[in-house]
Amino acid sequence: MNSAIPPEKDSDWWIGAVIYQIYPRSFQDSNGDGIGDLNGITSRLAHVKSLGVDAIWISPFFQSPMADFGYDVANYRAVDPMFGTLADFDALIAEAHRLDLNVIIDMVISHTSDQHKWFRQSRSSRDNPKADWYVWADAAPDGTAPNNWLAIFGGPAWEWDTTRCQYYMHNFLASQPDLNFHHEDVQEAVLDEMRFWLERGVDGVRLDTANYYFCDRQLRSNPPREQVEQNTFSSVNPYGRQYHVHDKSQPQNIVFMQRLRAVLDEYGDISVGEVGDEDRSLATMAAYSSGGDKLHMCYTFEMLGRQFDPALFVEKVGGFIAACPDGWPCWAFSNHDVERHVTRWSGAGMPPDHLARFAINLLSALRGQICLYNGEELGLTEAALCFEDLQDPYGIRFWPKFKGRDGCRTPMVWDSGEHAGGFTTGKPWLPVSPSHLAQAAEAQEADERSVLNAYRGAIRLRKDHPAIARGAITFIEASDTVLVFERELSGQRILCAFNFAETACEIDALAAVPDAGILSSSAAGSPALLGPFGWRIAAV
């Protein structure tokens, strides 16, 4: 148990850290049932360690009916049998710590499953001890929902309950009722669930939908968005047709973040808060991670869209620093909820493998923490699935305009010569993409130019140079196709230049860099000349 800060633990290990996200269903199956599990993760930690990362983030493995694949928790203190046991988790923690890997778990506390004992009691009557633990409301006079709030997964954010004859709120599936954080007992209860895992030895928590905890007490309707671009996801899913000013990101959340931080500080553990807030994401990130008394860092969707150009990085990285100069963001290009970035950004014209190498050198050079998603170190593209193979209720609901999240969740490929790429001896829960087999980890090990070894090299460069891991960032040039910035710490200066174009270009800032100063480059040649889709990182 971890009831105190271990004396050898560096309390600032997370600053500039590289975090590796593991989606447990798809990482490694150890028992042949076709679903990844905790023992499978433990067996593959050597691979994770070889990347040079500082921590793993494990997506939910708690007991769940799996309507949303673990993001609908029925018991926060139990491992779902499909993933193993608490003893298996303890073994995972022990092996990770032996390898000097920190372990971050995914706490989903904005909502529970409708199978959770709290909700079963809450819905049983209007006057039981947990009656107000969830967001309940009477119907409007005409019987319709209390307001116009929408669920991200489609339809109204309200479900009628025939026992209480009231509506309950759900931001996601109807089987994921939202907890009422205005109730002090709810806050204490979820913090107690978190303490269970902190005592068990985890090193941090990733907070799913961290800005969704509170909604407006008055349940006021959201205003409409004046204009929605056609042929975007917002035109397919009506959720994007509102400004979500009342159903999330409420000011009371700040106070709860301070309360949560105080608990984490007792253990010397850290927090990563997921913030999805449309137009306000940077401001919300800044509010949640400033001052050193709230979240350690915020994880955002800012770089998980289709834009891929210099302006994106100047706007998002520079915008966060301007809003929160004392804060540390966490950037990611891919995760379990979005199309893999080598497919999403394929319009840039780069071949997928080159785009993967370009992207990891860029991501690793940014200020803040960075998060990798399992499989991106192999350069995996988005898998193409038939409708019949879909598991994701989100994709099933909005098919075919939106194909859901299964394409980025297909199993890892370890060895192309083994059944299902070495993921399982059984039938995998999602098909292994045939196009992924050639990118298996085993096939990339010996190839110095492989995506896998490019990831190792970029992460090693970040670790070897404190200016990259923890230094300041200054943008020097940002045109339509060229991005140049400098990282600096204690007199160490690192120049980072990226060419997003299909044609070569001269970078004046690189002209005086000697060959010995070049730390990473897409190709040899004149230091000032960047080839098509080229990059150069150099000490100056």
Side-chain angles (χ1 to χ4, degrees):
M1 297 298 181
N2 180 24
S3 59
I5 303 174
E8 71 280 2
K9 190 171 183 177
D10 176 8
S11 61
D12 289 337
W13 68 263
W14 57 275
I15 298 178
V18 181
I19 301 168
Y20 182 88
Q21 181 195 356
I22 294 174
Y23 192 68
R25 295 180 70 94
S26 300
F27 198 61
Q28 178 66 63
D29 173 26
S30 70
N31 61 9
D33 67 357
I35 298 172
D37 47 47
L38 296 179
N39 286 336
I41 293 173
T42 303
S43 73
R44 294 294 186 181
L45 286 179
H47 165 82
V48 179
K49 178 64 177 177
S50 77
L51 298 174
V53 305
D54 301 284
I56 57 172
W57 147 29
I58 310 174
S59 291
F61 51 84
F62 314 110
Q63 184 178 324
S64 166
M66 298 294 163
D68 191 22
F69 302 105
Y71 284 89
D72 49 325
V73 179
N75 185 343
Y76 288 103
R77 301 192 186 198
V79 172
D80 195 275
M82 74 168 56
F83 295 129
T85 65
L86 278 172
D88 295 334
F89 181 78
D90 291 341
L92 188 162
I93 284 271
E95 177 63 6
H97 287 170
R98 186 187 73 80
L99 294 170
D100 197 26
L101 289 169
N102 293 283
V103 178
I104 299 168
I105 63 169
D106 208 331
M107 293 297 295
V108 188
I109 58 175
S110 68
H111 54 266
T112 69
S113 165
D114 61 359
Q115 301 304 305
H116 197 289
K117 62 182 180 181
W118 297 345
F119 187 70
R120 287 180 171 178
Q121 182 174 353
S122 184
R123 78 188 315 176
S124 67
S125 69
R126 296 193 187 193
D127 57 4
N128 70 81
K130 290 185 172 58
D132 297 327
W133 276 40
Y134 291 81
V135 182
W136 293 95
D138 292 330
D142 63 357
T144 56
N147 59 31
N148 70 348
W149 296 353
L150 296 171
I152 292 175
F153 288 170
W158 298 96
E159 183 74 4
W160 180 254
D161 181 77
T162 56
T163 300
R164 287 183 52 144
C165 292
Q166 284 183 303
Y167 283 97
Y168 66 83
M169 178 189 172
H170 59 93
N171 271 301
F172 298 92
L173 295 174
S175 58
Q176 293 170 291
D178 275 71
L179 285 161
N180 176 20
F181 273 76
H182 291 290
H183 199 306
E184 289 286 328
D185 289 349
V186 170
Q187 295 185 34
E188 189 56 42
V190 296
L191 291 175
D192 278 346
E193 302 304 279
M194 190 173 73
R195 286 186 183 97
F196 174 84
W197 295 99
L198 299 179
E199 289 285 346
R200 210 155 197 102
V202 303
D203 304 287
V205 293
R206 184 260 189 185
L207 300 165
D208 184 63
T209 59
N211 57 312
Y212 284 70
Y213 296 163
F214 289 82
C215 64
D216 177 45
R217 276 187 181 273
Q218 300 176 53
L219 304 182
R220 288 172 288 185
S221 286
N222 287 324
R225 189 175 290 272
E226 292 85 357
Q227 187 173 2
V228 177
E229 292 183 29
Q230 293 302 306
N231 301 316
T232 65
F233 183 56
S234 293
S235 67
V236 176
N237 182 352
Y239 185 83
R241 302 187 185 193
Q242 294 180 357
Y243 287 111
H244 293 274
V245 297
H246 295 307
D247 52 352
K248 60 183 177 181
S249 303
Q250 300 303 292
Q252 297 92 337
N253 226 24
I254 299 290
V255 179
F256 177 71
M257 293 301 173
Q258 292 169 323
R259 186 177 182 187
L260 184 148
R261 174 63 177 263
V263 172
L264 289 167
D265 284 348
E266 294 173 19
Y267 297 84
D269 284 0
I270 65 100
S271 52
V272 186
E274 179 196 31
V275 172
D277 205 12
E278 295 85 36
D279 315 88
R280 302 175 295 171
S281 281
L282 289 178
T284 304
M285 287 173 63
Y288 287 11
S289 56
S290 63
D293 63 344
K294 295 176 281 294
L295 299 180
H296 292 77
M297 61 183 116
C298 283
Y299 175 95
T300 178
F301 292 76
E302 296 299 294
M303 295 174 185
L304 299 179
R306 297 200 173 277
Q307 182 184 358
F308 184 58
D309 56 28
L312 171 70
F313 299 96
V314 175
E315 176 189 353
K316 303 307 181 185
V317 178
F320 177 82
I321 293 169
C324 187
D326 66 334
W328 288 91
C330 185
W331 307 113
F333 288 172
S334 282
N335 70 15
H336 65 294
D337 281 333
V338 298
E339 189 176 33
R340 288 187 177 273
H341 67 266
V342 291
T343 298
R344 200 172 69 244
W345 291 338
S346 60
M350 304 183 207
D353 280 5
H354 185 82
L355 194 157
R357 289 188 286 268
F358 182 99
I360 187 55
N361 277 277
L362 174 55
L363 180 62
S364 291
L366 297 178
R367 183 182 186 276
Q369 293 68 250
I370 63 172
C371 191
L372 315 177
Y373 174 52
N374 61 223
E376 72 171 80
E377 77 273 24
L378 306 179
L380 296 189
T381 54
E382 185 80 355
L385 299 175
C386 300
F387 179 79
E388 293 74 18
D389 291 323
L390 294 190
Q391 303 289 326
D392 181 17
Y394 201 8
I396 293 170
R397 177 70 181 266
F398 289 104
W399 179 277
K401 287 293 185 71
F402 173 65
K403 298 181 180 180
R405 303 165 294 178
D406 290 324
C408 66
R409 296 177 175 182
T410 56
M412 281 284 286
V413 282
W414 300 103
D415 189 330
S416 58
E418 295 186 15
H419 170 74
F423 165 70
T424 182
T425 57
K427 181 182 178 181
W429 76 286
L430 281 174
V432 174
S433 174
S435 65
H436 287 177
L437 292 174
Q439 298 168 282
E442 172 270 336
Q444 296 196 37
E445 283 288 348
D447 181 1
E448 292 183 359
R449 288 285 296 166
S450 70
V451 172
L452 176 58
N453 283 313
Y455 267 69
R456 289 170 174 157
I459 295 168
R460 184 167 56 249
L461 182 64
R462 182 179 175 92
K463 297 297 179 186
D464 288 346
H465 295 84
I468 300 178
R470 298 186 172 212
I473 187 169
T474 303
F475 290 99
I476 296 171
E477 181 179 350
S479 66
D480 289 343
T481 58
V482 172
L483 178 66
V484 183
F485 56 88
E486 183 180 276
R487 304 298 310 280
E488 188 275 330
L489 182 69
S490 302
Q492 182 187 59
R493 295 168 55 219
I494 307 293
L495 194 65
C496 308
F498 297 86
N499 178 17
F500 290 69
E502 298 183 34
T503 55
C505 64
E506 292 277 347
I507 305 296
D508 293 340
L510 287 169
V513 175
D515 289 345
I518 297 175
L519 305 174
S520 175
S521 180
S522 53
S526 165
L529 182 67
L530 281 187
F533 310 126
W535 73 84
R536 192 152 293 145
I537 300 173
V540 295

